[in-house]
Amino acid sequence: MPRAKGGPKTRARRKRVLNLAEGFWGAKSKLFRSATEAVDRSLKYAYRDRKARKRDFRRLWIARINAAARLNGISYSKFIAGLAKNGVALDRKILADLAISDPAGFAKIAESAKTATA
């Protein structure tokens, strides 16, 4: 049986991995085996951290909303419960942005949440 060397398929696969490893330090950007290990690890971290970024931003938004709500005399949990009772369909990202950019508008929303929970 003749020796199979791979040809275009192998070259394309190696080129794809080495292109993904561009910018890595030392052998990780030059040698196929090192590059494969580094790229596999980096893709794993990228996948994990795309999920983590969503969690991190949600935590940030909640902290901002909580701080703004407490300035208006209501806790975060009561604020969110009041919004749900009033049928206000603003998500946490928008509420956090309102808390920073338009404190007066956020105060009106907080008042409506207060009246709903009282």
Side-chain angles (χ1 to χ4, degrees):
M1 181 183 274
R3 177 170 158 237
K5 294 197 302 182
K9 282 276 196 196
T10 300
R11 208 165 36 254
R13 182 170 49 89
R14 290 182 179 181
K15 185 177 181 181
R16 186 176 66 241
V17 169
L18 287 171
N19 281 338
L20 284 171
E22 202 173 279
F24 290 5
W25 193 82
K28 290 176 183 173
S29 66
K30 307 277 190 288
L31 306 178
F32 178 69
R33 185 181 295 179
S34 305
T36 302
E37 292 169 359
V39 165
D40 287 348
R41 181 174 293 123
S42 70
L43 291 174
K44 182 177 69 176
Y45 287 145
Y47 177 80
R48 179 197 71 185
D49 291 339
R50 281 194 299 274
K51 312 296 176 199
R53 185 190 314 136
K54 293 170 180 62
R55 292 193 297 267
D56 290 344
F57 270 106
R58 186 180 170 94
R59 285 179 61 190
L60 173 67
W61 297 331
I62 288 172
R64 287 178 176 174
I65 294 167
N66 186 24
R70 287 182 186 277
L71 287 175
N72 287 291
I74 186 171
S75 71
Y76 171 79
S77 59
K78 288 181 179 166
F79 176 73
I80 293 295
L83 293 183
K85 281 183 185 173
N86 279 345
V88 177
L90 294 174
D91 62 7
R92 285 161 180 80
K93 178 180 176 180
I94 301 299
L95 287 169
D97 187 46
L98 266 176
I100 291 170
S101 63
D102 184 17
F106 187 85
K108 288 180 186 170
I109 295 171
E111 276 306 314
S112 73
K114 264 192 220 177
T115 58
T117 56

